[in-house]
Amino acid sequence: FDEELSAITGEVNGMVPRHMEAIKSAILLELMEFSEDQLTTRSGKEEMSDSIRVAINAVLEKHEKLTTDAISDVLITSFVMQ
């Protein structure tokens, strides 16, 4: 996760490292909600990406008391299913 999350810039970039463990946990919990069948489709991957975005924003909102979404997009640059 570290390399992927390092692309975040601006004010949010300072927030992410402070809450990295909670963010990683939230991402893993989201990933466990998706089945292999869901993730073989484009719409399933887009749903997963949006779910991860919402989870990261929830962590940042909880710990940083944000009132708007800090993360607007999650880009999936590689994907491996085992």
Side-chain angles (χ1 to χ4, degrees):
F1 294 120
D2 295 331
E3 293 172 14
E4 290 83 2
L5 292 175
S6 68
I8 297 170
T9 60
E11 181 183 348
V12 176
N13 192 38
M15 295 177 197
V16 170
R18 287 193 298 267
H19 308 294
M20 186 60 74
E21 293 305 314
I23 290 171
K24 287 180 181 181
S25 177
I27 291 171
L28 288 173
L29 289 172
E30 289 303 314
L31 291 175
M32 289 188 282
E33 293 296 316
F34 290 88
S35 69
E36 183 177 350
D37 289 338
Q38 286 175 292
L39 297 176
T40 58
T41 66
R42 180 185 181 110
S43 63
K45 289 179 185 81
E46 289 171 349
E47 185 180 337
M48 177 190 67
S49 177
D50 191 55
S51 179
I52 291 170
R53 180 189 60 79
V54 170
I56 294 171
N57 280 325
V59 170
L60 294 176
E61 288 168 10
K62 176 182 177 183
H63 295 287
E64 296 288 336
K65 310 296 187 231
L66 300 177
T67 58
T68 60
D69 287 349
I71 307 296
S72 59
D73 290 299
V74 171
L75 306 176
I76 307 297
T77 58
S78 64
F79 191 78
V80 177
M81 288 193 301
Q82 295 181 345

